[in-house]
Amino acid sequence: MGEAHTGLELRSTVTSGGELKLDLAEVTLDAPGPDEVIVRIEASPINPSDLGLLLGPADLSTLQAGGTADRPTLTATIPPQRMGMMKPRLDQSMPVGNEGAGTVVDAGANVAHLLGKKVGMIGGAMYAQYRKLPGRDCIVLPGGATAADGASMFVNPLTALGFVETMRAEGHKAIVHTAAASNLGQMLNKICLADGVPLVNIVRSEAQAAILRAIGATHIVDSTAPDFMATLTDAIAETGATLGFDAIGGGKLAGQVLTAMEAAANRNAASYSRYGSTTFKQVYIYGALDFGPTVLDRAFGMSWSIGGWLLTPFLMKAGQETMMRLRQRVADELTTTFASHYSATISLADALRPEIVDAYQRKTTGEKYLIDPSR
């Protein structure tokens, strides 16, 4: 075929004057090369990991709508104290959207077999009507799967699988997970149940606990309950969890997990040590639902570590063979273990409506937005 394709693409710009600008740019993609495809994007999720690039550190109370109904714009002020981290991206119109799915509408000679297929993709710039990328970066969706089914087949599924891989590689035997009723948390529960991995789920409401009970979760702890620390310690003692993954980031929760791990380890201690237990405890922060400081009340001895965990560095370290094995599992279990649920499907123009921005940037459990750029 070898045709150029023109469509709209959502762009985010941080200006050197301290302003965030969002708009829809018209972009023309040249015909694909021998190993490339052009995909008409039909579904792309708004993940928390997309919001850092999309909205930056803007003060969203200052959002101002402009443009037209078909080509809306949004602007917002960025507080001066937040501008320092923005220097590498100043005055660059940047495409947004980590992952998506759609139909291959053009293909180079070496990947012609993909033409007409529904595929899932990762690689950025997915909040767009068309995307050109190497055929190797696409996964053909299983028969009967829709673009919505395949839109979230990379970030959350590979992160959940990566947690279990990390647990095994580092010699732990059970996991503690926060914000556990999220789409990702539900996937992690299904993986752990299938693989026999004990999992302690921390939620912040009874409604979230009910979501997890419905899919078979066994250890569920509510961080708002008055007996939270005692219940968490009991669950950790029962499972032997010494590894935590924290989606919250700010506040006391990461430290509370370490404290409960230490208390659980000391239940069977034969003797007292002023340095705490010798049980090594690890918490990885992988999200930033709370941008405030991480607070550690150091009541968990000296055998512990807190670090950051990101999917891309994990996959690079794990290697090609592991990555392909994990991707295949996602494809095989796309509509079961790795099914995602969306509260609303919106257009590219809708994504720039202030009231919708306010809704998806809150990252509320059970409210996940899907962009359909073909609308």
Side-chain angles (χ1 to χ4, degrees):
M1 295 175 67
E3 300 175 2
H5 288 76
T6 299
L8 297 178
E9 184 173 272
L10 197 159
R11 296 293 189 89
S12 173
T13 304
V14 172
T15 72
S16 50
E19 188 175 60
L20 171 73
K21 292 184 176 181
L22 303 180
D23 63 355
L24 299 179
E26 188 172 280
V27 175
T28 298
L29 302 177
D30 295 335
D35 298 302
E36 293 179 321
V37 297
I38 292 180
V39 180
R40 181 181 66 240
I41 300 177
E42 296 153 1
S44 183
I46 300 177
N47 290 315
S49 56
D50 294 307
L51 295 179
L53 178 57
L54 178 64
L55 302 176
D59 177 355
L60 298 183
S61 70
T62 66
L63 278 176
Q64 295 288 326
T68 65
D70 292 336
R71 299 285 288 273
T73 63
L74 273 182
T75 57
T77 301
I78 299 175
Q81 65 270 23
R82 300 180 186 174
M83 283 294 290
M85 68 182 80
M86 293 291 102
K87 188 174 181 180
R89 63 168 289 188
L90 290 181
D91 301 314
Q92 299 177 60
S93 175
M94 304 188 76
V96 189
N98 284 322
E99 62 183 336
T103 302
V104 177
V105 295
D106 205 348
N110 296 335
V111 286
H113 62 283
L114 294 175
L115 191 61
K117 299 288 179 64
K118 292 267 188 205
V119 297
M121 309 163 286
I122 192 168
M126 296 296 171
Y127 298 167
Q129 291 177 323
Y130 295 98
R131 178 72 161 86
K132 182 168 72 171
L133 72 169
R136 67 173 180 272
D137 291 344
C138 299
I139 294 181
V140 176
L141 302 185
T146 66
D149 291 329
S152 296
M153 68 184 300
F154 289 94
V155 175
N156 282 349
L158 292 178
T159 297
L161 288 168
F163 290 171
V164 177
E165 292 287 320
T166 299
M167 179 203 73
R168 292 174 176 142
E170 298 185 359
H172 303 275
K173 65 178 184 179
I175 294 172
V176 179
H177 185 225
T178 72
S182 65
N183 268 304
L184 189 155
Q186 294 176 55
M187 291 176 190
L188 182 60
N189 264 278
K190 293 173 183 177
I191 294 165
C192 288
L193 287 168
D195 293 7
V197 175
L199 176 66
V200 178
N201 300 275
I202 298 178
V203 298
R204 61 178 185 273
S205 70
E206 172 54 33
Q208 293 176 1
I211 291 171
L212 294 176
R213 278 196 297 271
I215 61 172
T218 51
H219 300 283
I220 306 169
V221 186
D222 186 345
S223 63
T224 66
D227 61 348
F228 167 60
M229 286 303 293
T231 308
L232 178 62
T233 303
D234 287 343
I236 289 173
E238 186 174 341
T239 58
T242 51
L243 176 65
F245 290 94
D246 177 31
I248 310 299
K252 294 185 175 182
L253 192 51
Q256 289 174 315
V257 170
L258 289 171
T259 299
M261 288 177 177
E262 177 71 358
N266 281 327
R267 285 187 174 181
N268 298 314
S271 61
Y272 167 75
S273 168
R274 72 187 74 180
Y275 304 113
S277 76
T278 58
T279 300
F280 180 70
K281 303 161 290 292
Q282 172 75 55
V283 170
Y284 287 112
I285 295 173
Y286 77 96
L289 297 178
D290 181 345
F291 283 99
T294 302
V295 179
L296 301 179
D297 294 323
R298 287 176 51 192
F300 36 77
M302 296 299 291
S303 185
W304 58 274
S305 179
I306 286 185
W309 195 99
L310 284 172
L311 177 59
T312 300
F314 161 76
L315 291 174
M316 291 175 65
K317 184 177 179 181
Q320 185 72 13
E321 185 177 332
T322 296
M323 182 171 69
M324 296 309 294
R325 171 170 55 83
L326 299 183
R327 281 175 47 158
Q328 188 59 53
R329 181 170 180 179
V330 175
D332 292 343
E333 303 175 33
L334 184 62
T335 59
T336 53
T337 306
F338 301 107
S340 287
H341 307 285
Y342 306 98
S343 55
T345 301
I346 60 176
S347 68
L348 283 173
D350 290 337
L352 299 189
R353 287 169 50 190
E355 67 274 18
I356 293 181
V357 174
D358 181 62
Y360 64 65
Q361 67 86 25
R362 288 198 300 265
K363 304 182 284 284
T364 304
T365 298
E367 294 187 12
K368 189 174 181 69
Y369 281 69
L370 186 71
I371 297 176
D372 179 356
S374 69
R375 285 190 170 196

